[in-house]
Structure formats: structure tokens, C-alpha cells
Amino acid sequence: MKKALAAFGLLVGGAIALAACNGIGNLGNLISDSTDLGPAGVTKDRANAARTIDNGPGKLVTVFLSQAPDPLPPNMSRCHPLGSPGGVPFLPWPIIAVRTFIPLQSSPPNGPSEYDWVQTISLDNEICLGMRTPVEPTFPLQFTQVEFNLRSVSPWAYGHALVGPPGQDYLFFPGPPPAGQADFPSNDPNINARSLFNRAGGDVFVWVQGLDFSGAPVTTNAYMNTLGPTGWVLFMRDNAFRSGRFYNITGALKGAPRAFADTPSLADDGFFESVQVNGDNFDAFSEPFGNIDPIALSFCGIPNPARPYAFLDRSNADENIANPFAPVPAGGQGGFMLVIHREAFNGAQVVVNPNVPGPLPAPVLAGDLFGPPPSGYDSLAIPAINAAQRRARVDGPAGIHELGFSVFFIHGS
């Protein structure tokens, strides 16, 4: 994903809006001094990129991934992913993965692509989460873009499983092993344990709570809406990191940026342009704010959602979420819930080649689509997979191995 910027006037006013507009002129003019470390071991790139994620001692964040059953039992609701207070009348959706941790927040020599372990699903599948702030040296201090990347990966890449027990963090950076630890999607022979979530199943939500920012802002608000046509905010991919196999989810356009297109190094860029939902289309297909009750955590009108996406700002509360309906206040921390209803991905096909001529995105046409193909690959043919854990090809139903989304934070002091 690239810079989630546009329509700042819709988000903030006065001096903050002016500061944001002053920063827009340098978009795309990337600097590449990533080896020039300052006294704290932080690159000039990262130091200049406005606020970044604070991963100091005790700076924790909690991440949830959940999927509703389909069909839903009577005691669950599509519009109440966290259930009701006390569990009456609705219970929360089942949790696929959850973890509270200090985020890695990458730095050289490993580059921009480290991944925090979130949960072990099986012997051949772990879920990891990447978070990063794109390089933008004139980005105003009041703003931070964070790109989140959830992956269902094989834990048996050289340099990963060989050097520690399951549950260690992943590295993904250019070069021979131990590079590329998060590059290989899960190939679990149990097809039910292979995908990030069931693409033929029910609604999905991602919940991030308590993200700390450098400089300790007093207040923070999170946005995926109102980011305009240049803000690329959401995609799903069915296989390896650099493949062009993106799902044509609701509102998606081809010709979106290659993976890591906005980092200084060209060595880890994706091979293909991506297929993503941009800010305008996210707005067009998002549940209106008026239908979202932030107190009761109700995300749509009853009985069915009108739109496939919904987003709720859950900032200014910490990672202690024993009671999601009464989060612990914590000024300046970022938090949000992203709900993706099954209408967005059920039956979605894969785009053949997302590259388009010129700099502008394009609609996905019928001739661009196929499949989706079976999920799986032949581990025996990949030298970078631990030899003791290589498996012959076991293709299974199409799956979702990667979910990427970009959130824009606005800070006050």
C-alpha cells in the first residue's frame, strides 16, 4: 500500500489542515539514507517520517482477528462482532488469533519488513503481523500512516524455525536465507488450518488497540474513510507475498502500488502492481457512521449490513481490553476496528495481471479474472524451506493468506 493521503480538509481544520497540505508536495520524493544511523540507531528516513510506532519497554498493542460462523447461530449477530455486554442477547464471534505484544518496528539491517508473531495455528501455519510507517521526510508531526499486514505463513523457512522455537518473530528482507522468512504462505496439509480465514465463511473483523506513538501525543484519531483516491487502504491476496494473485474484493481497482513501493530499497518491491480498494471506494462501500453505535459496538442496521465494510475509531484507550465496552482510557494511543462482511470476498475471483499502463488505477474487467486457483505449492521445489519439513504438493481450496490495510492517524498535543 502507498500513501493514504487526500482530502485533509475533511478530516481536520485550521492549523492542522494547513500543516498537512504543506506536507503533500513531497509525496513520492523518497530519500534513501536507510543506512545512516543516528545516535539512537534510528535511520534518518524513519526519524523524518513524523511520528512512528513507539516500541519502548511496556509499549504494548493488542491485535485480534475473528471470523463469524456462516450461517450464524441465533445467539450471534453480524452487526455485533464483540457480542453484547454480558453476552446477552449476542455472543462474540469466535477468535482466530489474539496477542498483546511490543511491536518490532523494524530498523536496519533488516529493512522495513519485520513481522511480529501473533499465533501458532498448527505445525505448518503461524499468523504474523507486520506494521510499518512509510518514508515521508516532510510528513507533518500531527499525522502517522501505519500499514498493517496480516499473513498466514509457513514457519519452516530457513533462518526461522531452525534458530528458535515456534512463536518467534519473522524477518522479511532482501537476500538469501535467513531473509524472506514471511514470504512463504502456509501449506498445511490440513486445508482447514491453511488459510488466514475461510474465504467461503462469514464476516471478519480485525481489532487493534493501544498502539503507542513516538512523542506521546495527547490525543489520536484513526481513519480509513475520507482518504480520497490516492489512499490505498485494503487488499486480500491468496498466495505468496510477491505474487500478483490479488482477490477482486468489492470496490477493488487494479494498478495500485507494488508492495513496499514507498520504501527506499527497491530490492523488496513486489513483482506486480496490486489490486486494492482506495479511499473513495472504501467510502462508497462502507457502512455509514450513523449506522455504527460506538457504545453498544453495533456496526450496522438490523438485520443485515447494508455495506461490506465498516470502520470504527477506537483510539485513546490502552491495550487492556478485559471489557471491550469500557476500554481503559489512554490519551494518544491508536485503536480501531475494521469489519469486512462476507459480501466483500465470498465468490471473489483472482486478478490475472494487475499491472496497468501509466500511473493511474483502472477498473477490474471480466477478462482480468480467473479462478481462484487452488491454494498450495510444492515445498519440495523450494530450497529455502527447511528440508526436514518439506512436503509434496498438497493443493486445497482457495484461501486468503494475506490481509493488508492502511490506517491514517491524526494526533493532537
Side-chain angles (χ1 to χ4, degrees):
M1 283 175 282
K2 208 157 183 160
K3 314 280 190 303
L5 293 173
F8 284 101
L10 298 177
L11 300 179
V12 290
I16 293 179
L18 178 61
C21 293
N22 286 343
I24 292 176
N26 198 63
L27 291 182
N29 298 331
L30 305 178
I31 57 178
S32 57
D33 56 348
S34 58
T35 59
D36 186 358
L37 299 179
V42 179
T43 66
K44 285 184 179 179
D45 289 356
R46 191 165 290 282
N48 289 336
R51 296 195 192 272
T52 59
I53 299 167
D54 187 346
N55 65 342
K59 301 297 185 179
L60 300 172
V61 62
T62 296
V63 177
F64 283 89
L65 174 65
S66 174
Q67 183 169 29
D70 186 31
L72 273 176
N75 59 354
M76 291 185 186
S77 166
R78 299 187 71 188
C79 302
H80 293 81
L82 296 179
S84 303
V88 180
F90 300 120
L91 296 178
W93 302 350
I95 299 297
I96 296 173
V98 58
R99 187 182 174 214
T100 299
F101 59 97
I102 297 175
L104 271 171
Q105 188 67 352
S106 62
S107 61
N110 297 326
S113 319
E114 299 183 24
Y115 288 83
D116 293 281
W117 172 81
V118 174
Q119 190 151 322
T120 298
I121 303 299
S122 67
L123 181 67
D124 289 278
N125 182 16
E126 291 189 342
I127 292 177
C128 60
L129 174 71
M131 289 186 286
R132 68 185 190 90
T133 56
V135 173
E136 177 45 52
T138 65
F139 219 49
L141 186 63
Q142 294 91 346
F143 306 95
T144 306
Q145 181 195 352
V146 182
E147 297 179 358
F148 299 83
N149 192 279
L150 275 166
R151 290 191 190 169
S152 172
V153 297
S154 169
W156 298 109
Y158 276 126
H160 182 256
L162 293 181
V163 298
Q168 66 181 321
D169 292 320
Y170 287 77
L171 303 178
F172 183 88
F173 54 94
Q181 295 173 15
D183 193 25
F184 301 108
S186 169
N187 201 34
D188 196 302
N190 178 0
I191 57 179
N192 294 323
R194 181 180 294 183
S195 186
L196 190 62
F197 55 87
N198 181 5
R199 65 171 296 274
D203 305 341
V204 170
F205 81 74
V206 180
W207 178 14
V208 175
Q209 192 71 60
L211 186 63
D212 293 276
F213 298 96
S214 299
V218 174
T219 62
T220 290
N221 294 100
Y223 298 87
M224 280 182 71
N225 302 81
T226 67
L227 294 178
T230 63
W232 296 101
V233 297
L234 183 64
F235 70 81
M236 293 181 188
R237 183 163 22 205
D238 85 320
N239 211 294
F241 164 63
R242 299 199 187 197
S243 80
R245 287 161 53 167
F246 290 85
Y247 280 107
N248 184 35
I249 59 176
T250 300
L253 297 170
K254 62 182 181 179
R258 299 171 186 267
F260 296 129
D262 53 0
T263 58
S265 172
L266 301 178
D268 58 354
D269 284 5
F271 298 135
F272 297 90
E273 292 177 339
S274 57
V275 177
Q276 296 193 34
V277 180
N278 69 4
D280 282 350
N281 280 7
F282 189 81
D283 295 341
F285 293 103
S286 287
E287 194 70 29
F289 290 127
N291 288 358
I292 299 175
D293 185 337
I295 304 300
L297 296 178
S298 175
F299 280 76
C300 57
I302 302 297
N304 294 307
R307 306 285 178 88
Y309 307 118
F311 182 83
L312 176 66
D313 178 20
R314 296 270 289 172
S315 298
N316 304 304
D318 76 9
E319 64 281 349
N320 181 2
I321 46 179
N323 179 2
F325 298 93
V328 178
Q333 295 184 349
F336 60 89
M337 288 193 67
L338 167 64
V339 177
I340 305 172
H341 293 296
R342 56 184 171 81
E343 286 81 0
F345 56 86
N346 278 180
Q349 292 183 284
V350 169
V351 178
V352 176
N353 182 357
N355 292 332
V356 299
L360 297 179
V364 177
L365 305 177
D368 297 323
L369 300 172
F370 77 107
S375 171
Y377 58 93
D378 190 352
S379 301
L380 294 172
I382 301 178
I385 297 292
N386 179 359
Q389 293 296 327
R390 292 185 192 175
R391 299 179 185 274
R393 179 178 300 281
V394 182
D395 286 340
I400 291 173
H401 284 92
E402 187 174 353
L403 173 63
F405 49 99
S406 186
V407 179
F408 193 73
F409 297 93
I410 298 180
H411 311 291
S413 57

